[in-house]
């Protein structure tokens, strides 16, 4: 997988950045963006592999993932708006009503 | 070609899903176009009736043919371009999901805080539909899409009580955890796609991976995918969301989440691992076969030990559901070992044990959450102390709850005992004696908290002991039907076991 390698490495870096963002950021919106970064890193890897192997399934998969990501935005933003209405904050550290 | 050529009759393989989607649209339309806003109660009953109709219809027309002999290099059960596998394994799981959906609709009717309208029931039906596709999926793309489709509906349902900050918090916690783990899973799927030379069909991927010399990367990809499954089944170390989401989300929905969603997680877990990383041919399979055992042990211990310390009944049941996932992982462990030593009978036994356990757990846990949803509304508290004196205030409901608790515990005559027996037997036939011993120790630990509820209901007194709790009809029916089913399956366990065994055999050939 030589031609795909640089792209796959880049996608791995993006994925790691996304994971770090999720772990470090405290704002729900930033966490959300980091999740999108993780999804798109998988997209990049899929496209690179699809080109490497000449299999269009990977590109098709990416289309589906983009659709899923759009739906995820709708669901995620709806939930973030709900929590913002209740708390006047999107900081996940404020989400501490449920614990024990 | 690894799958059958297309012909329209293959749509029978997704007939239940087609029916469910249509019914979800009908529910939304009825909600929208009815002249005076239709009573929510009617919508709930309509949703349950429609799901029951879909279940009966698919039992009549869409049961997968049993006697198809697989030919070399082709899989006649793999239909619709290889996306779906039309086998009894998927079908039995569908029955579990749809039954869970029906019972949950009925319990939701009388759960006032959720004010469940058309969108609630439509989301519930769509989640059920997506779980059916999860169980049947036979392709990386289908696996991801079905998993996400079910997750989205579940996120929204968890945060459904918009005006209740606790429900909103449950929704967003579930969403963030779910979205992160599914992205991790997706990256694993992308790596598998790359390693297999651009294949997405399970069978084709497995063929390439078995011959490839990329063990480290394959193991990494597999672990990433397992993370996604562990989230779905709430196995350690991806269990953190469970107690918070269970506590905040609408109670009837939690009954659905803890049973159907978990069963769906186990369905994809078993099918994916054995189709893509088939032991002993795939080099990476050693890792998952060995990994399941410590996972089972940790999940059982964590769930049971933390459940003891809880005072909120929903949190307690959340940790209990983590522990129950641990028991089911015993079956998956036995499955891996049996498959590795190429003993199809033992492997089928183990899979059947997991299916049987998931089905009975569905009934018992939904009954338990039905009781919790009513008692917590009537008493106005979700603490275990809310159950004080329930044996006098609502004797029949308390009896149903006792049956559910004893069955979850695995007390001998009830079905939970039979289910655990099957799981442990599968593990013993693979010489996993230590695992079985740990399982038994965990059952003993769980005596504390399950019997704690029973004790609260019958021994403790509450100031309102004289006031009976009125149980609404729909919920009473759910408790009655599921308790009756618990007893019935106990008596007829061999018949149900043989169905589970047929389903397991369908997975393996």
């Amino acid at each position: 997988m030589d031609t795909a390698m640089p792209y796959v490495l880049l996608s791995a870096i993006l994925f790691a950045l996304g994971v770090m963002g999720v772990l470090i950021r405290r704002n729900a919106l930033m966490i959300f963006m980091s999740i999108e970064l993780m999804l798109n890193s998988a997209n990049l890897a899929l496209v690179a592999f699809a080109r490497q192997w000449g299999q269009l399934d990977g590109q098709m998969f990416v289309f589906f993932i983009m659709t899923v990501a759009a739906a995820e935005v709708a669901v995620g933003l709806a939930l973030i708006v709900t929590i913002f209405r209740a708390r006047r904050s999107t900081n996940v550290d404020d989400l501490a009503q449920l614990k024990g | 070609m690894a799958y059958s050529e297309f012909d329209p009759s293959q749509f029978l393989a997704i007939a239940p899903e087609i029916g469910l989607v249509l019914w979800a649209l009908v529910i939304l339309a009825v909600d929208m176009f009815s002249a005076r806003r239709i009573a929510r109660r009617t919508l709930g009953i309509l949703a349950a009736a429609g799901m029951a109709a879909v279940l009966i219809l698919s039992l009549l027309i869409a049961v997968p043919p049993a006697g198809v002999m697989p030919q070399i290099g082709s899989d006649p059960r793999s239909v619709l371009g290889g996306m779906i596998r039309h086998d009894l394994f998927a079908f039995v799981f569908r029955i579990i999901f749809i039954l869970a959906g029906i019972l949950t609709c009925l319990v939701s009717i009388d759960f006032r805080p959720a004010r469940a309208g058309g969108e609630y029931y439509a989301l519930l039906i769509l989640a059920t539909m997506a779980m059916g596709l999860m169980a049947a999926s036979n392709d990386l793309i289908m696996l991801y899409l079905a998993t996400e489709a079910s997750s989205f509906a579940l996120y929204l349902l968890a945060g459904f009580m918009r005006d209740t900050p606790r429900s909103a918090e449950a929704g967003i916690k579930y969403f963030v955890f779910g979205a992160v783990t599914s992205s991790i899973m997706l990256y694993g799927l992308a790596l598998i796609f790359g390693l297999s030379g651009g294949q997405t069909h399970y069978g084709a991927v497995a063929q390439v991976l078995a011959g490839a010399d990329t063990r480290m990367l394959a193991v990494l990809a597999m672990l990433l995918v397992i993370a996604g499954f562990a989230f779905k089944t709430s196995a350690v170390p991806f269990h953190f969301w469970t107690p918070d989401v269970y506590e905040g989300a609408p109670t009837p929905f939690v009954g659905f989440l803890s049973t159907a969603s978990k069963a769906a997680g186990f369905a994809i877990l078993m099918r994916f691992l054995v189709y893509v990383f088939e032991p002993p041919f795939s080099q990476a399979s050693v890792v998952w076969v060995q990994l399941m055992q410590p996972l089972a042990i940790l999940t059982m211990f964590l769930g049971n030990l933390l459940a003891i310390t809880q005072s909120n009944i929903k949190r307690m049941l959340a940790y209990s559901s983590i522990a129950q996932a641990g028991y089911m992982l015993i079956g998956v462990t036995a499955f891996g070992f049996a498959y590795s030593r190429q003993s199809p009978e033992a492997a089928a036994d183990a899979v059947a044990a997991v299916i049987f356990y998931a089905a009975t757990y569905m009934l018992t846990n939904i009954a338990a959450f039905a009781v919790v949803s009513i008692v917590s509304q009537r008493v106005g508290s979700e603490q275990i102390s809310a159950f004080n004196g329930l044996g006098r205030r609502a004797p029949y409901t308390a009896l149903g709850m006792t049956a559910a608790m004893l069955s979850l515990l695995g007390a001998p005559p009830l079905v939970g005992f039979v289910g655990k027996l099957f799981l442990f037997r599968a593990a013993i036939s693979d010489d996993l004696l230590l695992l079985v011993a740990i399982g038994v120790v965990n059952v003993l630990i769980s005596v504390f908290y399950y019997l704690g509820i029973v004790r609260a209901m019958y021994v403790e007194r509450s100031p309102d002991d004289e006031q009976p709790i009125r149980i609404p009809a729909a919920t009473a029916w759910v408790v009655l039907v599921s308790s009756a089913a618990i007893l019935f399956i106990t008596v007829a366990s061999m018949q149900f076991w043989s169905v589970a065994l047929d389903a397991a055999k369908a997975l393996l050939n």
Side-chain angles (χ1 to χ4, degrees):
Chain A
M1 52 176 88
D2 302 330
T3 54
M5 213 32 153
Y7 300 99
V8 175
L9 278 180
L10 177 62
S11 87
I13 293 169
L14 287 175
F15 182 78
L17 284 174
V19 173
M20 277 165 57
V22 168
L23 294 176
I24 293 169
R25 292 293 188 154
R26 302 303 352 137
N27 185 309
L29 281 169
M30 294 306 288
I31 292 179
F32 197 28
M33 286 167 71
S34 305
I35 292 170
E36 294 297 311
L37 191 60
M38 289 164 72
L39 283 179
N40 283 316
S41 74
N43 281 348
L44 181 61
L46 278 170
V47 172
F49 285 133
R51 173 140 178 95
Q52 162 86 24
W53 302 116
Q55 290 275 2
L56 285 180
D57 300 35
Q59 310 224 5
M60 206 181 68
F61 200 167
V62 171
F63 276 120
F64 281 119
I65 295 169
M66 280 155 62
T67 320
V68 166
E72 195 162 66
V73 169
V75 171
L77 283 183
L79 288 167
I80 291 176
V81 167
T82 313
I83 202 80
F84 181 74
R85 284 208 185 120
R87 299 273 157 77
R88 292 284 137 197
S89 149
T90 53
N91 190 323
V92 287
D93 288 334
D94 294 342
L95 301 176
Q97 205 169 355
L98 302 170
K99 60 179 172 189
Chain B
M1 268 313 197
Y3 41 83
S4 328
E5 290 300 317
F6 177 75
D7 82 81
S9 72
Q10 292 184 352
F11 280 121
L12 273 183
I14 51 168
E17 280 77 28
I18 295 175
L20 288 173
V21 171
L22 290 179
W23 197 251
L25 295 176
V26 168
I27 294 286
L28 285 176
V30 168
D31 188 27
M32 203 154 84
F33 293 118
S34 55
R36 261 308 277 153
R37 278 193 63 81
I38 191 167
R40 299 172 193 279
R41 158 176 306 273
T42 321
L43 277 175
I45 291 170
L46 207 59
M51 287 170 101
V54 168
L55 180 61
I56 292 167
L57 273 181
S58 28
L59 279 171
L60 288 178
I61 60 163
V63 177
V68 189
M69 280 307 291
Q71 297 139 8
I72 294 163
S74 92
D75 179 4
R77 289 200 181 92
S78 185
V79 296
L80 294 170
M83 288 283 160
I84 293 287
R85 196 162 191 273
H86 186 35
D87 58 14
L88 199 62
F89 178 77
F91 197 79
V92 165
F93 269 103
R94 274 188 192 121
I95 297 177
I96 298 177
F97 304 146
I98 297 181
L99 283 179
I102 294 172
L103 295 174
T104 309
C105 283
L106 293 177
V107 182
S108 304
I109 291 174
D110 289 301
F111 188 69
R112 309 232 171 241
R115 281 183 289 145
E119 66 278 25
Y120 178 94
Y121 296 111
L123 282 171
L124 202 60
I125 295 175
L126 288 175
T128 313
M129 179 278 298
M131 286 172 192
L133 289 180
M134 278 165 80
S137 63
N138 196 26
D139 187 287
L140 303 182
I141 300 180
M142 195 67 220
L143 169 73
Y144 178 71
L145 290 179
T147 311
E148 287 293 81
S150 84
S151 291
F152 287 172
L154 296 177
Y155 301 149
L156 289 171
L157 286 168
F160 194 81
M161 301 187 286
R162 286 192 298 277
D163 311 326
T164 318
R166 290 148 60 88
S167 176
E169 184 175 330
I172 195 134
K173 278 185 172 163
Y174 191 37
F175 169 75
V176 169
F177 247 95
V180 171
T181 44
S182 77
S183 311
I184 293 174
M185 180 177 99
L186 177 64
Y187 199 76
L189 294 179
L191 285 181
I192 290 175
F193 174 78
L195 292 173
S196 65
Q199 302 295 331
T200 60
H201 184 66
Y202 282 179
V205 171
Q207 264 178 7
V208 183
L209 283 185
D213 186 29
T214 46
R215 188 173 163 185
M216 287 312 293
L217 269 176
V219 168
L220 174 70
M222 184 181 76
L223 291 177
L224 294 175
V225 177
I226 288 180
F229 298 160
F231 163 76
K232 275 276 170 197
T233 56
S234 67
V236 172
F238 294 96
H239 65 279
F240 294 104
W241 58 276
T242 319
D244 286 356
V245 173
Y246 281 26
E247 186 185 347
T251 314
F253 158 73
V254 178
F256 183 74
L257 175 67
S258 65
T259 55
S261 178
K262 199 184 292 282
F266 276 102
I268 50 174
L269 175 78
M270 291 192 290
R271 194 194 287 276
F272 178 86
L273 287 182
V274 82
Y275 280 17
V276 176
F277 297 98
E278 186 179 1
F281 306 111
S282 156
Q283 295 181 328
S285 69
V286 185
V287 177
W288 79 257
V289 171
Q290 297 296 335
L291 180 72
M292 285 303 146
Q293 185 165 355
L295 220 57
I297 295 173
L298 284 175
T299 310
M300 281 188 293
F301 267 122
L302 185 130
N304 279 318
L305 290 176
L306 288 177
I308 294 179
T309 63
Q310 301 303 319
S311 60
N312 180 305
I313 178 96
K314 282 165 88 181
R315 287 190 88 84
M316 191 215 88
L317 284 172
Y319 284 109
S320 133
S321 103
I322 296 175
Q324 302 285 343
Y327 298 135
M328 289 189 240
L329 281 172
I330 293 181
V332 181
T333 312
F335 172 47
F337 277 96
Y339 209 100
S340 303
R341 59 181 175 84
Q342 293 190 280
S343 158
E345 287 83 20
D349 263 2
V351 175
V354 176
I355 297 175
F356 186 89
Y357 200 87
T360 57
Y361 174 65
M362 183 273 286
L363 287 169
T364 40
N365 223 34
I366 285 190
F369 273 105
V371 175
V372 171
S373 100
I374 282 306
V375 170
S376 61
Q377 280 183 84
R378 293 284 185 271
V379 181
S381 150
E382 286 176 354
Q383 299 301 305
I384 291 175
S385 57
F387 281 78
N388 286 355
L390 193 72
R392 286 171 290 279
R393 302 180 70 185
Y396 295 112
T397 313
L399 206 59
M401 186 71 172
T402 310
M405 288 298 123
L406 291 181
S407 181
L408 285 175
L409 163 64
L414 291 170
V415 73
F417 172 74
V418 185
K420 287 197 176 67
L421 203 64
F422 285 140
L423 285 174
F424 290 164
R425 194 191 61 167
I428 288 173
S429 70
D430 279 286
D431 291 330
L432 297 163
L433 294 178
L434 179 68
L435 187 60
V436 172
I438 291 175
V440 172
V441 168
N442 271 284
V443 171
L444 293 178
I445 298 174
S446 71
V447 169
F448 284 106
Y449 59 89
Y450 287 133
L451 288 191
I453 305 285
V454 179
R455 180 174 164 278
M457 289 191 296
Y458 289 104
V459 180
E460 300 281 341
R461 301 232 157 227
S462 84
D464 309 318
D465 251 9
E466 300 310 314
Q467 296 170 328
I469 292 183
R470 200 185 65 77
I471 308 292
T475 311
W477 272 102
V478 169
V479 177
L480 179 69
V481 166
S482 37
S483 317
I486 293 171
L487 293 179
F488 179 66
I489 299 183
T490 315
V491 179
S493 50
M494 283 338 272
Q495 279 75 15
F496 284 90
W497 170 252
S498 71
V499 173
L501 203 57
D502 283 347
K505 284 177 184 154
L507 174 72
L508 298 177
N509 70 29

